[in-house]
Amino acid sequence: MLIGPFKVTALVRLTVLRPEARDKTLTLSDTGGFTNLTGAESSLDAAQVQSFEQVVDRQAERLIRSLTSIFLDPELAADAAQDAFVQLYKHWDEVTKRGEPTAWLFRVAVNRCKDYRRAITRTSRLVQRLIGAHPRSEASDDWTPKADFLSILAGLPARQRIAAALYYEADFSVAEIARVMGISEGAVNSHLHRARAALRDILEAS
Amino acid sequence: MDPTQTDERIRLLYRENAVPVDIRAFKEGLAERLPARSASRSQRVMRTVSWAILGLGMAAALGFGVYTAVDSLGGDQPTLVIGDDIMTGAPGGPGAPAGPGATAGPGATADPGAIEADSVPDPPFSLSSDMARELGEALLREIPDLGFEVIRAWGVVTQYDPPSPAWITLGPEEPMQAFIDIYIHTHPAYATAGGADFPYHALPAGDSADISVPGATAARSVVSPAGDYYQVVALTPEDMTIIAISRVTLTEHSSTPRPTPPIELQRLAGLVAFAIERLAALSATGGGETAATAQAEDGHPADDGHHVDAVSVLVDAPPADIHSIDFRGLWATLAEAAGVESTGATLERFEVFYRPSGDIFHLRLQVLTADRYLLSCSYMEGAQTVHLYGSRCPENEPLPYSSWSTPLQPVFAAIDTLKIGTFESQLEVTNDVAQLVLCTVLRDANGTAVIHAPQPASYWENSAFLPLGPEDSRRTAGSTDVVLGMGLGRHAHDGGADLSIKFDDLSYFIIPAESATSANGS
């Protein structure tokens, strides 16, 4: 068969996840900053764009890493992170009016990942049935976590994985995690307790 | 290894296994997307379908309007066409949002009030009047276009009245937050149930599958030092095409602060002592490694300096020991350890889920003492941990609606009568999960009889208050009779890691107070 499992999976993902081709009106400046974001066509003024970019600079890496350790898929994580930043940009006034936007950003990104995952699961299953292809491994070529780490994370329930990633990867406090996940701090502690117990096994084994 | 050291090592573990991130490439990709204010493909499809439903007449009228507008603006004006992936000629560069000078086809988003987030409900939903009435949710129903507003702001509602007093008198008026979570579930092309895919509308009847409740659900929560309260408050039967989760903040601070009742340190010590005592007892059974941790939650400074709002205790124990928990003994020990008066205590919640093997999947026991201590014990399968929680409700404050306030002794007597172990032996083979709920028949202010019972299918909450119809024999139960609700069913994956539960069989039994008392020997 000309189309192997990997390519088919990539095709499916492309269909489900990739934003449509759009005309590019923005570029990165030489210093890596956003340009052309202000002016008549933007809803944000220069100061707001600068603030937005600061949030991107501060949060992008840890957001992508957190999402990756939650959903075990770097591409999915990067797509969802971009989506979340786009949403933040669109709703900048509303979100920042309520304070620092980090919790909002992470919450939107996590929810986006869940939506994507659902779509991918359904579509992949359909493709599997049609051509007998199998999904590729969770880890990508660029990401080579230790097998036991990946295995432990994959075995954790989703909520424990989210709580652990936000706590250990993003350095959120329990209160912040509660806001992101929309649950009580007690529930966060409970999820963290269980995740910690599982991850401790790796430490003890090493 | 102490917890702090463990946390540091786990953080290092995460860092060692972190995915490499090319920030520049990420920002380049982001920069390409930021100005794109056109509707996404899914929005276009959805809107196209919506417009098709509106009928040919409207399309013709709009078509004429568009023709007229374009004609009047001239060929050098920007034109935005939604529905065929074409965007051209917006002023200042392609891809810019439609401005006042833009003209639009039927699905255009030129309206400044249009929603730009993905997943937009159209039309906005309204809350089910029946459910709203039964659950006292006049507040929710008064919010115009709730879903529309929520989704537009992704978490911010700008149109609502001050919250209903009924909700804000739940607990101490010190920092307290009440909010409503809105869950709007989509109808996907495929839903998975029992390992097979179905078109959504062809799902087996009542199956929870990919989404358990079509339409929207709203869950109301109150977070306060006295505890967190949560309840599903409304369902809509309407078909929705959206997935979104938002939060509506009703209030962040109340207007009349009052002192928070303290839990004295000795009571905290009592709970910890209980945990340790329990730990010792569990270890004595030879069931493997156990551990206990305790912590105060939401501590606020107080004048006496000896004040925490709640205490949370986690006890690790082998599953076999958790399985053999004696509920009556657990409560008695808990009350004794906490130094509370057991007379007059009420049961606020009691649920047990079993696996076919007889193992406990989930249990929750919550008791309110006469002196207003709310003590709970919960266990979720997975980490062999029992979670004990204690907090204090303020004097003269109504309890949250979600409280049962069921007299305690009849329920425990009923548990003894039924002998949980008997159930365990009968739950094997056919059922993935079984839930038992015990309560007395409650009556609200209008005299409507309600019970707290398993739900046929629900996503997060597996039981709810159910009103009893006029012909329901359970209405005749006395105030101290105990209703046992039993749900037998199975888990259904939602396509991800989360599970929901679908009950195939819901049964109810009334245990007369006399027989429970008699069986209890008291």
Side-chain angles (χ1 to χ4, degrees), chain B residues 134-135 401 403-404 406 439-444 447-453 464-469 474-475 483:
Chain B
E134 288 159 7
L135 297 166
Y401 187 82
S403 296
W404 299 359
T406 292
C439 75
T440 50
V441 175
L442 310 173
R443 284 176 174 81
D444 63 17
T448 304
V450 297
I451 62 168
H452 201 267
F465 287 95
L466 301 178
L468 303 181
R474 286 168 287 170
R475 290 178 67 94
V483 176

Side-chain angles (χ1 to χ4, degrees), chain B residues 372-423:
Chain B
R372 312 286 290 180
Y373 278 85
L374 193 65
L375 305 175
S376 73
C377 166
S378 63
Y379 162 76
M380 278 292 292
E381 182 185 56
Q384 306 171 9
T385 301
V386 174
H387 183 200
L388 306 173
Y389 184 86
S391 63
R392 183 150 189 215
C393 297
E395 299 290 344
N396 303 319
E397 292 283 0
L399 288 171
Y401 187 82
S402 57
S403 296
W404 299 359
S405 299
T406 292
L408 185 65
Q409 293 308 321
V411 175
F412 278 115
I415 292 174
D416 284 355
T417 304
L418 293 166
K419 302 199 185 312
I420 295 295
T422 307
F423 274 95

Side-chain angles (χ1 to χ4, degrees), chain B residues 16 58 140 180-181 263 287-288 294 380 392 404 420 447 455 463 485:
Chain B
E16 289 171 351
M58 181 173 283
L140 274 180
I180 297 174
D181 285 337
I263 291 181
M380 278 292 292
R392 183 150 189 215
W404 299 359
I420 295 295
Q455 284 278 65
S463 55

Side-chain angles (χ1 to χ4, degrees), chain A residues 41-54:
Chain A
E41 308 313 321
S42 173
S43 59
L44 304 187
D45 60 29
Q48 288 174 317
V49 170
Q50 190 176 14
S51 299
F52 171 77
E53 184 173 359
Q54 285 171 353

Side-chain angles (χ1 to χ4, degrees), chain A residues 19-20 22-34 37 41-44 52-53 56-57 60-61 63-65 68-69 74 77-79 81-83 85-87 89-91 94-95 97-98 104 107-108 111-112 114-118 121-122 125-126 129 140 142-147 149 153 156-161 164-165 167-169 171-172 178-179 181-187 189-190 193-197 199-200 202-204 206, chain B residues 1 3 5-11 13-21 23-44 85 87-88 90-97 116-119 151-156 158 179 181 183 186 188-192 195-197 210 223 228 243-247 249 293 295 297-298 312 314-316 378-383 385 387 389 459-460 494-498:
Chain A
E20 305 142 55
R22 289 170 174 146
D23 295 323
K24 298 179 182 178
T25 60
L26 292 183
T27 59
L28 285 180
S29 68
D30 292 342
T31 57
F34 295 116
L37 267 175
E41 308 313 321
S42 173
S43 59
L44 304 187
F52 171 77
E53 184 173 359
V56 175
D57 288 338
E61 188 164 347
L63 177 59
I64 294 170
R65 286 185 169 157
T68 301
S69 57
D79 277 332
Q82 277 197 358
D83 264 2
F85 279 117
V86 169
Q87 293 301 319
Y89 178 78
K90 289 178 175 177
H91 300 287
E94 297 155 6
V95 175
K97 197 162 47 183
R98 292 184 297 162
W104 186 95
R107 182 167 179 145
V108 169
N111 289 335
R112 244 345 121 92
K114 288 178 182 173
D115 292 350
Y116 287 167
R117 176 55 58 86
R118 289 192 188 99
T121 302
R122 286 194 296 270
R125 204 175 281 128
L126 184 63
R129 281 208 307 271
S140 73
D142 296 332
W143 186 42
T144 53
K146 290 177 182 172
F149 181 71
L153 288 187
L156 290 178
R159 290 194 160 201
Q160 289 180 31
R161 231 160 40 208
Y167 190 73
Y168 293 116
E169 186 81 68
D171 284 331
F172 277 15
R179 282 199 293 275
M181 297 180 70
I183 59 179
S184 72
E185 293 183 30
N189 277 323
S190 183
H193 177 80
R194 290 164 188 155
R196 183 183 291 119
L199 289 162
R200 197 164 46 204
I202 301 180
L203 300 176
E204 289 172 354
S206 61
Chain B
M1 196 185 306
Q5 192 182 6
T6 302
D7 281 350
E8 284 311 308
R9 292 189 60 187
I10 292 175
R11 277 201 178 85
L13 192 65
Y14 268 82
R15 279 199 291 273
E16 289 171 351
N17 291 281
V19 64
V21 177
I23 284 295
R24 183 175 176 84
F26 177 80
K27 289 179 70 175
E28 282 176 353
L30 179 60
E32 290 176 10
R33 299 180 56 188
L34 283 179
R37 296 210 164 222
S38 66
S40 68
R41 178 183 298 276
S42 61
Q43 284 176 271
R44 281 195 289 272
D85 288 355
M87 290 181 65
T88 58
E116 293 179 335
D118 288 339
S119 306
I151 301 306
R152 175 160 70 178
W154 272 95
V156 177
T158 55
F179 50 83
D181 285 337
Y183 301 87
T186 186
Y190 294 91
T192 304
D197 287 348
D210 188 83
V223 177
D228 298 348
I243 290 179
I245 297 177
S246 294
R247 168 168 292 186
T249 298
T293 58
Q295 67 180 87
E297 290 191 348
D298 296 328
S312 179
L314 299 171
V315 182
D316 282 359
S378 63
Y379 162 76
M380 278 292 292
E381 182 185 56
T385 301
H387 183 200
Y389 184 86
Y459 198 63
W460 300 113
D494 71 346
D498 291 335

